[in-house]
Amino acid sequence: MKSIVVDRVSKSYEKVEALKSISFEVAEGELFGLIGPDGAGKTTCIRILTSLLLPDSGKASLVGNDVVKDFHEIRKIVGYMPGRFSLYSDLTVSKNLEFFAGVFGSTIEENYYLIKDIYHMLEPFKDRLAGKLSGGMKQKLALSCALIHKPKVLLLDEPTTGVDAVSRKEFWTMLRRLKAEGITILVSTPYMDEASQCDRIALIDKGQILNINTPKDVVGLFPYKLMGINSPKAFSLLKYLRTTSISRGAFLFGQDIHFSTDRMDLTCEELEESIENAGFTNILVKQIEPTVEDCFMQLMGNNE
């Protein structure tokens, strides 16, 4: 059974096309990632699925409920965590949980088993105002409030943005536990390294879906040979590499350049010699394996 179905959904804000006829499906119990940079259309997509925005065209449904016609039912079965902290800052941790449980006609005790692994980290701060919590603790409280009515579908809009690396790791561990409970999870993120945590991902840019696959298969379909190049003149070298006839993409990744080519027989020594003949020195070239981010950059280039 498909818990989430998005069928040719489009949405514009005046002259800006936020979504351009996107389609994807999420199976029951799947952890699905919507991966893309800021402005890609992730938030618009999630807000349509929560019934907070109306699509201009196309259809979407959650557990068989149309997001336009059945919005009352949608709001009963969905847990939503927006990108910005949106709980009551002037209520304590425990009062926020009590309030959201009450809104859905439930109690903390009734569905405590769903949040106990999260809430035990919050319990020492249960009497603290939510607005006084750290970023990681706000994240955990928001997730607890989204889960307290036992939703069938959990929609999370960039939940790990702005939190530390340890909190990010803890958060994904929590999501895997929730998936084991049978909850369908759609999570958006701009962090490409988080893609591997998902069962499947959709890469999105400028309102268009570029690819839908498992993280492993996304990487496995990368069509070029990939070289990592280190140079003290990285920006100048990047410009030069993009002008070469064998280049199929060159992008900065930290201190290194990731250079892709369809010359599958090209060796590191050949490329290094060619770069040095162009006047660059102190070059280090090595063959590397592509990541989801490499694949995204390649697909994004094809989409321009």
Side-chain angles (χ1 to χ4, degrees):
M1 179 181 175
K2 302 300 181 184
S3 286
I4 302 174
V5 177
V6 176
D7 182 21
R8 294 169 292 176
V9 166
S10 295
K11 179 68 179 179
S12 295
Y13 301 103
E14 295 182 354
K15 295 181 179 179
V16 177
E17 288 185 279
L19 295 176
K20 303 174 184 177
S21 191
I22 68 166
S23 298
F24 64 88
E25 296 179 344
V26 181
E28 183 178 2
E30 186 174 19
L31 176 50
F32 188 90
L34 196 58
I35 316 291
D38 292 343
K42 305 185 299 298
T43 295
T44 296
C45 178
I46 288 179
R47 285 176 65 81
I48 287 173
L49 290 174
T50 59
S51 77
L52 295 175
L53 272 181
L54 293 174
D56 294 336
S57 61
K59 293 184 178 181
S61 63
L62 272 66
V63 197
N65 299 286
D66 186 274
V67 297
V68 177
K69 298 176 184 176
D70 306 316
F71 66 92
H72 285 297
E73 189 62 30
I74 291 285
R75 295 177 187 183
K76 295 176 186 176
I77 63 172
V78 165
Y80 172 47
M81 184 173 163
R84 292 184 178 182
F85 184 70
S86 57
L87 303 183
Y88 291 99
S89 296
D90 55 349
L91 291 182
T92 64
V93 167
S94 58
K95 290 298 182 183
N96 265 288
L97 268 175
E98 288 172 13
F99 173 79
F100 282 97
V103 165
F104 290 99
S106 182
T107 64
I108 296 175
E109 292 74 24
E110 186 177 351
N111 295 315
Y112 184 73
Y113 74 97
L114 273 177
I115 67 166
K116 64 179 180 179
D117 291 333
I118 310 168
Y119 190 66
H120 85 86
M121 291 180 270
L122 281 167
E123 204 154 16
F125 312 102
K126 64 180 182 180
D127 295 323
R128 182 175 295 183
L129 295 180
K132 300 294 184 180
L133 295 173
S134 68
M137 288 300 173
K138 284 180 177 178
Q139 174 203 61
K140 293 176 179 66
L141 177 58
L143 181 59
S144 296
C145 290
L147 287 167
I148 200 61
H149 64 295
K150 194 181 178 181
K152 294 180 180 179
V153 178
L154 191 57
L155 302 175
L156 309 173
D157 189 9
E158 298 194 4
T160 57
T161 299
V163 298
D164 61 88
V166 173
S167 293
R168 283 175 62 189
K169 186 177 179 180
E170 288 176 348
F171 192 81
W172 282 100
T173 300
M174 293 176 217
L175 293 190
R176 285 192 292 273
R177 289 174 185 157
L178 294 172
K179 169 182 156 60
E181 294 285 346
I183 297 174
T184 303
I185 303 170
L186 171 62
V187 55
S188 73
T189 177
Y191 300 127
M192 301 289 164
D193 62 315
E194 293 185 338
S196 62
Q197 305 283 353
C198 303
D199 298 324
R200 287 189 307 134
I201 57 174
L203 300 179
I204 184 170
D205 182 51
K206 298 176 182 175
Q208 293 181 281
I209 299 288
L210 306 180
N211 196 345
I212 301 174
N213 220 320
T214 65
K216 182 179 178 180
D217 286 343
V218 167
V219 172
L221 293 171
F222 189 76
Y224 303 124
K225 191 167 194 173
L226 191 64
M227 307 284 205
I229 307 168
N230 186 271
S231 166
K233 296 183 178 179
F235 286 103
S236 298
L237 179 56
L238 182 68
K239 290 180 181 179
Y240 164 72
L241 288 170
R242 287 175 171 172
T243 66
T244 61
S245 61
I246 61 171
S247 172
R248 293 297 174 266
F251 300 97
L252 273 176
F253 281 69
Q255 300 298 314
D256 292 340
I257 297 170
H258 286 199
F259 176 76
S260 54
T261 178
D262 53 8
R263 274 276 315 276
M264 307 307 285
D265 60 338
L266 183 68
T267 65
C268 295
E269 292 75 19
E270 283 181 278
L271 181 57
E272 192 169 317
E273 182 180 356
S274 173
I275 292 170
E276 288 176 345
N277 289 340
F280 295 92
T281 56
N282 298 320
I283 302 300
L284 178 63
V285 179
K286 59 182 179 181
Q287 186 172 341
I288 57 176
E289 293 299 317
T291 64
V292 169
E293 189 166 1
D294 290 300
C295 299
F296 181 84
M297 298 300 285
Q298 181 254 325
L299 290 166
M300 188 174 71
N302 292 345
N303 194 42
E304 289 179 349

